[in-house]
Amino acid sequence: MEVEIQNSKNSLTQVIIEDSNLKKELERKLIRSLAGNYQVNFRFAETFSPNKDYVYKDRQISEAKEVAYIIEDSENKISIQHLLFVGPGVVIKHWRQDWIYENRDFLKLIEGHEWQKSQISEDEAKGTWTQKVYQVDDSPRYQGYGTWVHVDGRHFWESSADAALPRRDATTRNDYNVLKRNSHIEIFQNGDWVLEQDNEKIYRSTENIDTLICLEKGLENFTHQDYDPSAAINWWLEQAEFWAEVRKIWSDHITTSDIIKINEDEKLYMAMFDLAKQFTGEQFNIEDSHKAIKGLLIQHLDGFKA
């Protein structure tokens, strides 16, 4: 057995691992290394359709500065909040990824913005990490699990999970209602990383029959940049108590519900952002924010219990 674990952006490890505890510790370090200051390039292109008459949509290319900030770090869970610069000094809350070791409990997408609970066996979960991804308002997005692979100096993780429509299509497309995300996350020796996607845009009928509309290639390249992240971090810390309350209320709802269904998803996240501004910094009051968050979720979630 040969193991060397280094906690460095510039020198990830070359490993041969037989001990599961050492493997887990390496993977914790790798997941933590996803945090940092980045220039992110987003590139998406539709590549194939089984329908010869399908009209391919334009490629979508964009870039942004993004800070990935660790908000929870325990033995079996690491939570990373992404903060997006949308202008000089202007920050918005972006997606969140929670990594959970040997997780067995999932939300499985039915279609649209409706999920049901599912569970995998202890044997299936053994040695795996689940990535649970959440929307900008901390509502569910997709949840996939897989085993980190360490071979030939490479470190990568792969999974497949059904997701709601991405923002790039959510307001303009009605020909598909499920995005099957086949994801590959790889961390490179210099600490940069990539989220590579081979997506399937699917229409799922009420009879649970899937029809493939088209395939899509997605590349999100996270390149380390040496800039001052304090504007994003300070902005986040001003709102952190409010969003912690949002996460708690969502967690309680998921724990006590068999089906999670969101109505008017876009209106929900915009209203939640407005509430965050209302309860920023010294304006935060746990009782008032708790009541306001629940009041908003009552409007947008089927079966939400106040």
Side-chain angles (χ1 to χ4, degrees):
M1 177 174 62
E2 176 186 344
V3 179
E4 181 185 358
I5 297 176
Q6 301 179 30
N7 189 14
S8 167
K9 290 286 186 186
N10 298 317
S11 182
L12 292 175
T13 256
Q14 175 72 33
V15 265
I16 301 169
I17 302 179
E18 295 174 356
D19 186 295
S20 60
N21 291 328
L22 289 175
K23 184 174 185 292
K24 177 184 175 183
E25 183 58 25
L26 168 62
E27 290 162 359
R28 289 191 73 260
K29 291 180 183 296
L30 288 168
I31 292 167
R32 292 185 85 259
S33 79
L34 297 174
N37 311 332
Y38 296 100
Q39 179 75 23
V40 189
N41 292 304
F42 304 93
R43 290 170 289 171
F44 296 92
E46 295 184 346
T47 60
F48 169 78
S49 174
N51 180 357
K52 64 182 179 63
D53 297 321
Y54 180 76
V55 178
Y56 293 95
K57 305 304 183 287
D58 291 341
R59 295 180 177 184
Q60 300 187 35
I61 300 173
S62 60
E63 62 180 13
K65 287 166 60 178
E66 186 163 286
V67 176
Y69 185 72
I70 294 175
I71 60 174
E72 183 177 344
D73 186 359
S74 61
E75 181 181 352
N76 292 317
K77 181 180 178 183
I78 299 168
S79 181
I80 303 174
Q81 177 63 59
H82 289 248
L83 306 167
L84 190 70
F85 283 98
V86 293
V90 180
V91 181
I92 62 169
K93 182 176 179 290
H94 207 198
W95 61 297
R96 183 179 107 240
Q97 50 176 326
D98 289 355
W99 290 86
I100 306 171
Y101 186 66
E102 294 187 344
N103 167 69
R104 295 181 58 196
D105 298 314
F106 293 84
L107 291 179
K108 183 178 180 181
L109 186 75
I110 299 173
E111 60 92 9
H113 293 282
E114 184 174 1
W115 296 262
Q116 64 182 5
K117 288 181 181 177
S118 67
Q119 192 174 73
I120 62 174
S121 69
E122 186 175 340
D123 285 344
E124 288 174 305
K126 186 174 179 60
T128 67
W129 284 89
T130 292
Q131 184 201 42
K132 295 188 177 185
V133 172
Y134 296 87
Q135 300 271 30
V136 296
D137 56 6
D138 288 320
S139 60
R141 181 149 177 71
Y142 61 90
Q143 303 181 354
Y145 72 100
T147 303
W148 278 91
V149 177
H150 315 287
V151 63
D152 295 335
R154 297 176 61 190
H155 307 274
F156 60 88
W157 173 93
E158 295 180 338
S159 78
S160 180
D162 289 351
L165 268 63
R167 294 286 173 214
R168 62 185 180 273
D169 283 346
T171 60
T172 60
R173 301 282 295 266
N174 58 15
D175 58 331
Y176 81 100
N177 54 12
V178 173
L179 184 72
K180 186 177 184 63
R181 301 177 64 112
N182 300 295
S183 300
H184 172 97
I185 292 177
E186 183 159 355
I187 304 174
F188 302 110
Q189 294 295 325
N190 63 359
D192 296 345
W193 59 281
V194 64
L195 169 54
E196 183 176 359
Q197 303 164 48
D198 289 292
N199 297 328
E200 302 170 42
K201 295 183 177 181
I202 291 169
Y203 181 78
R204 180 167 295 163
S205 71
T206 54
E207 293 79 24
N208 204 35
I209 298 173
D210 287 355
T211 300
L212 176 64
I213 304 303
C214 72
L215 302 182
E216 176 188 68
K217 188 70 177 183
L219 290 170
E220 298 181 28
N221 290 92
F222 290 75
T223 303
H224 272 285
Q225 296 285 304
D226 185 17
Y227 59 79
D228 182 2
S230 59
I233 293 173
N234 292 338
W235 178 92
W236 168 253
L237 293 177
E238 284 285 298
Q239 297 197 6
E241 289 182 299
F242 171 81
W243 289 108
E245 190 65 18
V246 173
R247 294 194 302 275
K248 180 181 182 302
I249 292 171
W250 264 114
S251 178
D252 290 344
H253 177 58
I254 291 170
T255 298
T256 57
S257 304
D258 293 326
I259 297 289
I260 311 298
K261 185 175 181 180
I262 302 173
N263 299 307
E264 299 181 307
D265 164 73
E266 186 174 4
K267 289 184 178 180
L268 171 59
Y269 89 79
M270 292 175 67
M272 194 69 82
F273 276 9
D274 288 340
L275 279 187
K277 294 176 185 176
Q278 181 180 334
F279 292 104
T280 291
E282 294 182 356
Q283 301 175 83
F284 177 76
N285 176 285
I286 190 167
E287 292 182 359
D288 290 346
S289 64
H290 186 89
K291 182 178 179 180
I293 294 163
K294 283 195 166 185
L296 182 59
L297 294 183
I298 286 172
Q299 298 175 46
H300 292 280
L301 268 65
D302 284 2
F304 182 82
K305 302 177 181 65

